Amino acid sequence: MSVLTDKTDRTERTDPPVAPAVGGGLVAAGRRARTRRRRTVIAALVLTVAGVLLLSLCLGERWDSPVEVVRALLGEQVPGVSFNVTVLRLPRVLTGLLAGLAFGMGGVVFQTMLRNPLASPDIIGISAGSSAVAVVAITMFGLSGATLSLLAVVGGLVVAGAIYLLSWQRGVHGARLVLTGIAVGAMLDSVISYAMTRTQIYYANEALRWLTGSLNSAFWDGVGPLAAATAVLVPVLLVLSRRLEALQLGDDTAAGLGVRPDRARLALLVVAVALVAVATAATGPIAFVAFLSGPIAYRLVRGTGSPLVPAALVGALLVLLGDLIGQHLLPTRFPVGVVTGVLGAPYLIWLLARTNRTGGSL
């Protein structure tokens, strides 16, 4: 009896579970640190967007103090302030905010799902689809307003469907879809150029202003449809975020996690294209916002968790900040699309040079 007891004691003393506890503790600490960083980044982005939004409401032909702006937003009649804030500046700021959210979220869906930083809607021809339909509608039929916006949305969806079908070959892969989209986008650019050369100067100016990407025509009648569309599409995309994270790991891994790759990819594409098309219909194709938002968001959160919310906030910040710079901080006023184009073009050149240097594909 005493021998058995001694053996049991020795066995218990020589098998302490120390190593797994230390390893598990390190993993848990790493996860907590990444989660803490992600929450900090998102909170900082929210505060920055709110700050730029308030500054945009205060700054116009004259400076209105934040207190006066808040009083006007709460419905109080502030002489010389209420009209400027609620009629002129607020619809412009809300349009920029919503369009930026949509561009950022739509762009990062393409880049993440196809695992290619060039797979942005404004690079692979989807924005060109909305633009081509809108320019033809302006220059050849003189359309504007809600009809023009609706046609731009339909054009983006149709072109996205065509690109998807043309690039299909036992599934859709990133490089093939990017090349197909660039080719389709080039063809649509030629349609835009032809329409511009065949119309009157007035309609050409209207089409050119729309193509630049601007918030100058943002009024309350356009805010409602844009807000309604984003209120429907953004929650749907957030629900699909788990499928997006699974596709980021590759089709085989996604299938192992219970996700059907083709079905999930099609659902994500439809929602993302609708978001980008709705934003394009409201503001025109604001250059490089969808292209830049995802990479910037990834670098900020270091790839932890879903990229949708950080990319949406970065997109909103780019549009609001670009419009603020174009309207008030340069000697001549420029549309927001010009400012974002200046910021995005060098990044595209750097990305192409880096891809070529590392010997990667598109």
Side-chain angles (χ1 to χ4, degrees):
M1 182 67 181
S2 62
V3 173
L4 289 175
T5 303
D6 291 341
K7 286 182 178 178
T8 303
D9 292 341
R10 282 197 296 270
T11 302
E12 291 176 352
R13 285 194 298 270
T14 56
D15 190 22
V18 175
V22 173
L26 290 175
V27 171
R31 287 176 179 173
R32 285 196 296 272
R34 288 194 296 270
T35 302
R36 189 162 53 246
R37 176 184 176 83
R38 175 182 171 82
R39 289 175 179 172
T40 303
V41 168
I42 290 175
L45 285 173
V46 170
L47 292 176
T48 306
V49 169
V52 176
L53 191 149
L54 180 60
L55 185 59
S56 300
L57 289 175
C58 295
L59 196 57
E61 294 295 335
R62 45 167 280 184
W63 167 261
D64 297 316
S65 71
V67 175
E68 291 175 322
V69 169
V70 172
R71 287 170 55 198
L73 291 177
L74 292 177
E76 184 178 344
Q77 287 299 320
V78 183
V81 177
S82 294
F83 179 81
N84 290 335
V85 172
T86 60
V87 177
L88 299 180
R89 300 174 192 166
L90 186 57
R92 183 187 188 101
V93 169
L94 289 179
T95 302
L97 174 70
L98 295 172
L101 290 172
F103 279 128
M105 194 171 274
V108 80
V109 168
F110 281 86
Q111 292 168 326
T112 304
M113 181 173 54
L114 300 174
R115 293 187 293 174
N116 191 322
L118 289 178
S120 173
D122 46 356
I123 300 294
I124 63 174
I126 294 172
S127 298
S130 297
S131 301
V133 173
V135 168
V136 170
I138 293 172
T139 57
M140 295 188 176
F141 301 100
L143 298 179
S144 61
T147 305
L148 177 65
S149 300
L150 181 61
L151 287 175
V153 173
V154 173
L157 291 171
V158 170
V159 170
I163 294 172
Y164 187 84
L165 292 176
L166 289 172
S167 59
W168 177 273
Q169 188 176 1
R170 297 179 181 178
V172 173
H173 301 284
R176 190 163 57 241
L177 189 140
V178 171
L179 289 173
T180 304
I182 290 174
V184 172
M187 288 190 289
L188 292 171
D189 286 340
S190 67
V191 172
I192 293 172
S193 299
Y194 174 78
M196 295 286 282
T197 58
R198 302 292 296 178
T199 190
Q200 301 174 14
I201 186 67
Y202 171 78
Y203 293 120
N205 286 332
E206 288 293 314
L208 187 60
R209 185 161 51 245
W210 193 89
L211 283 172
T212 305
S214 172
L215 300 179
N216 291 339
S217 59
F219 297 104
W220 279 115
D221 57 350
V223 174
L226 179 60
T230 52
V232 173
L233 295 171
V234 168
V236 173
L237 203 50
L238 292 175
V239 170
L240 295 173
S241 62
R242 180 182 171 275
R243 294 175 173 81
L244 179 63
E245 293 181 59
L247 289 175
Q248 189 180 5
L249 303 174
D251 286 1
D252 294 337
T253 305
L257 294 173
V259 175
R260 296 184 177 181
D262 291 335
R263 185 175 298 183
R265 189 177 288 114
L266 181 60
L268 286 163
L269 276 175
V270 169
V271 181
V273 168
L275 266 178
V276 173
V278 166
T280 304
T283 64
I286 300 179
F288 291 115
V289 174
F291 180 63
L292 288 173
S293 300
I296 294 175
Y298 268 114
R299 288 184 180 276
L300 290 176
V301 300
R302 295 181 181 175
T304 57
S306 171
L308 292 178
V309 174
L313 291 171
V314 171
L317 183 59
L318 287 175
V319 173
L320 291 174
L321 202 57
D323 187 55
L324 190 66
I325 293 172
Q327 293 300 306
H328 303 294
L329 301 183
L330 297 176
T332 304
R333 290 190 173 187
F334 291 101
V336 59
V338 174
V339 178
T340 56
V342 171
L343 295 174
Y347 174 75
L348 177 59
I349 295 172
W350 173 82
L351 181 63
L352 292 172
R354 180 174 176 272
T355 303
N356 184 50
R357 189 168 57 248
T358 56
S361 63
L362 277 176

